[in-house]
Amino acid sequence: MTSTAQASRSGARGAHPEHLAHVVFIAAAAAMGGFLFGYDSAVINGAVEAVRDRYDIGSAALAQVIAIALIGCAVGAATAGRTADRIGRIRSMQIAAVLFTISAVGSALPFALWDLALWRVVGGFAIGMASVIGPAYIAEVAPAAYRGRLGSFQQAAIVVGIAVSQLVNWGILNAAGGDQRGKLLGLEAWQVMLGVMVVPAVLYGLLSFAIPESPRFLISAGKEARAREVLAEIEDEDVDLDARVAEIELAMKSEHKSAFKDLLGGGFLFKPIVWIGIGLSVFQQFVGINVAFYYSSTLWQSVGVDPSESFFYSFTTSIINILGTVIAMIFVDRIGRRPLAVIGSVGMVVGLALEAWAFSYDLVDGRLPAAQGWIALIAAHVFVLFFALSWGVVVWVMLGEMFPNKLRAAALGVAASAQWIANWAITASFPSLADWNLSVTYVIYAVFAALSVPFVLRFVKETKGKTLEEMG
């Protein structure tokens, strides 16, 4: 290796202090897509019962309206990478921002149930795009020394977006007198809840004009002069920019473009490592975590909790989600991925089992008995805490690390698709399952949480401290 290349690599490991604030701003602006990902995913929680009442629909139809956004998510995630490679990361962010805005306006002003579902799909497509573009862009602009911490902005932004959506929903409900269909600004409260997302969506779009295009894309598009300018903004000022450009070009030429056919063989359809990735994705969703974010207000109201209190409990659950995510970010590199996953699974089993026990009691005057009500509430928070400090973060970390280099992109795409499908299955089935037997529904989630322990211990290898090259 030449001294110039060595200087380039050493410089890439850090950023000059005067540049670091700029790099943090760039990563934070890109992570606004993650904020909208979380916000748009969870904001529907405040509208579920109002939509049921306004359109006079049953649980099965209601579930499809809520879950249909996940179809858009899957399509958006599947197409975002190729779109970003063709037109750039920034243009893709701007498209996502426009779609988020259109979805917010359309969802707030639906003519009928069918177009509310359509706008949900549009928003889901934007979520899928944001879930791919944000992490990829941040990884490409972040100096190596800060890549892990800056990359965590995306997950942090998602959980903050979930929490803010629940806080805003609670505030709007109180402003409307505690009635989800109460009038506010000439609309029903639930419509305002869905429409408020216009604000962060527009902000995301504006911020995309304030940050540079990824140097990697600029080089692939033949814009080396502009790539040097961007690298000068984010790298140590002593870095040899020509060497950095040459280094990026060499890395891009030597990359193996993984294809779906690379995943086939070694057993039933896919290679074993791909099935392990799919298993991690499915278990992450089959514990029922998104019930806590899509249906928690409905859940608490179904056992007699006042609507305003139910919205507040949804907000406190989101705060617990943030706390758990921070804990995971602190410990995932210290104690390892597998131990954290097992700890989380055990905690989730306890929380879900206690919820199942509490919900097995008959309602008294439309409410759970006091003791069971408090246990259900505490157990719900315990469940979310243990999920957030383990599977919420660990699965995404492991999916990014566990696959061999030649399989990584394609395998990650399959595992992510499995996650969206599993998410859809849980989201679409919960209302009908809850109508049938709420307690048994939580027993089912607890069983999946319990089964995840032997799955991790038997099939999942620890990736802590290993380079990506060591994965094969």
Side-chain angles (χ1 to χ4, degrees):
M1 183 182 296
T2 66
S3 59
T4 301
Q6 287 175 332
S8 169
R9 288 186 185 277
S10 63
R13 293 191 187 100
H16 191 279
E18 69 184 33
H19 290 162
L20 184 56
H22 181 54
V23 174
V24 169
F25 169 76
I26 291 172
M32 270 298 296
F35 178 91
L36 282 160
F37 178 164
Y39 196 101
D40 193 27
S41 296
V43 70
I44 193 66
N45 188 19
V48 173
E49 288 306 302
V51 169
R52 186 201 298 268
D53 183 62
R54 174 163 174 169
Y55 296 105
D56 192 26
I57 55 176
S59 294
L62 177 68
Q64 294 308 315
V65 174
I66 306 304
I68 198 170
L70 299 170
I71 296 175
C73 291
V75 176
T79 59
R82 188 164 296 180
T83 301
D85 284 341
R86 289 192 175 189
I87 66 174
R89 283 58 164 155
I90 299 300
R91 287 286 178 266
S92 298
M93 289 182 196
Q94 291 164 354
I95 290 172
V98 170
L99 293 176
F100 275 123
T101 304
I102 292 172
S103 172
V105 174
S107 298
L109 303 170
F111 299 106
L113 189 64
W114 69 266
D115 74 305
L116 174 60
L118 172 64
W119 303 127
R120 294 274 299 149
V121 173
V122 171
F125 191 94
I127 290 174
M129 291 187 70
S131 71
V132 172
I133 297 167
Y137 173 83
I138 293 172
E140 290 174 357
V141 300
Y146 301 98
R147 187 173 297 132
R149 280 165 284 183
L150 294 175
S152 69
F153 279 23
Q154 176 80 357
Q155 179 63 23
I158 292 171
V159 296
V160 169
I162 292 171
V164 170
S165 72
Q166 303 311 301
L167 179 61
V168 170
N169 283 355
W170 181 55
I172 290 172
L173 183 72
N174 285 322
D179 182 0
Q180 288 169 261
R181 297 198 61 189
K183 292 296 182 179
L184 193 66
L185 302 176
L187 301 171
E188 293 184 4
W190 69 274
Q191 294 175 274
V192 178
M193 292 175 191
L194 300 183
V196 165
M197 195 179 69
V198 165
V199 176
V202 171
L203 178 60
Y204 179 42
L206 293 175
L207 285 171
S208 71
F209 287 98
I211 58 178
E213 181 55 86
S214 156
R216 187 183 178 91
F217 172 75
L218 291 170
I219 291 171
S220 71
K223 300 178 181 179
E224 293 186 4
R226 177 55 185 153
R228 287 185 181 86
E229 293 175 5
V230 175
L231 287 168
E233 295 178 23
I234 61 179
E235 297 282 9
D236 187 337
E237 58 187 15
D238 296 329
V239 166
D240 184 328
L241 297 180
D242 289 334
R244 283 291 290 126
V245 170
E247 187 179 14
I248 294 171
E249 287 180 329
L250 179 62
M252 291 172 64
K253 288 177 182 177
S254 63
E255 284 179 352
H256 173 80
K257 298 291 185 181
S258 58
F260 185 79
K261 65 180 181 180
D262 295 327
L263 310 181
L264 305 179
F268 179 69
L269 187 61
F270 293 126
K271 293 177 178 177
I273 189 66
V274 180
W275 281 116
I276 293 170
I278 291 171
L280 285 169
S281 290
V282 169
F283 273 117
Q284 188 199 51
Q285 295 301 315
F286 275 16
V287 298
I289 185 60
N290 280 308
V291 168
F293 299 123
Y294 298 162
Y295 295 114
S296 59
S297 294
T298 295
L299 173 65
W300 297 123
Q301 290 175 51
S302 72
V303 293
V305 175
D306 175 81
S308 182
E309 289 183 3
S310 74
F311 275 53
F312 179 73
Y313 294 154
S314 296
F315 171 63
T316 59
T317 302
S318 300
I319 296 299
I320 293 295
N321 189 33
I322 294 175
L323 176 62
T325 301
V326 171
I327 293 172
M329 290 164 64
I330 292 171
F331 287 104
V332 69
D333 284 324
R334 296 186 181 183
I335 68 173
R337 287 72 160 136
R338 291 175 80 237
L340 208 55
V342 172
I343 291 169
S345 294
V346 172
M348 288 191 292
V349 170
V350 173
L352 290 166
L354 286 173
E355 284 192 89
W357 173 81
F359 292 139
S360 69
Y361 280 74
D362 293 331
L363 302 185
V364 179
D365 296 327
R367 297 178 68 96
L368 279 176
Q372 282 71 28
W374 278 108
I375 287 174
L377 182 61
I378 294 170
H381 285 71
V382 167
F383 163 61
V384 171
L385 174 65
F386 276 93
F387 175 87
L389 65 80
S390 60
W391 286 75
V393 170
V394 164
V395 169
W396 286 111
V397 172
M398 294 201 73
L399 289 179
E401 296 174 335
M402 64 186 285
F403 300 114
N405 283 334
K406 65 180 181 180
L407 303 180
R408 185 165 293 115
L412 185 53
V414 169
S417 297
Q419 194 167 124
W420 288 119
I421 293 169
N423 188 342
W424 173 84
I426 292 297
T427 304
S429 63
F430 176 75
S432 296
L433 285 173
D435 284 351
W436 166 61
N437 192 311
L438 184 58
S439 178
V440 172
T441 300
Y442 274 84
V443 169
I444 294 171
Y445 300 153
V447 167
F448 279 111
L451 290 174
S452 69
V453 175
F455 175 81
V456 169
L457 295 177
R458 174 68 178 84
F459 298 109
V460 178
K461 295 181 179 179
E462 180 59 71
T463 56
K464 172 192 170 186
K466 296 182 179 180
T467 66
L468 296 183
E469 288 68 33
E470 288 180 273
M471 298 298 107

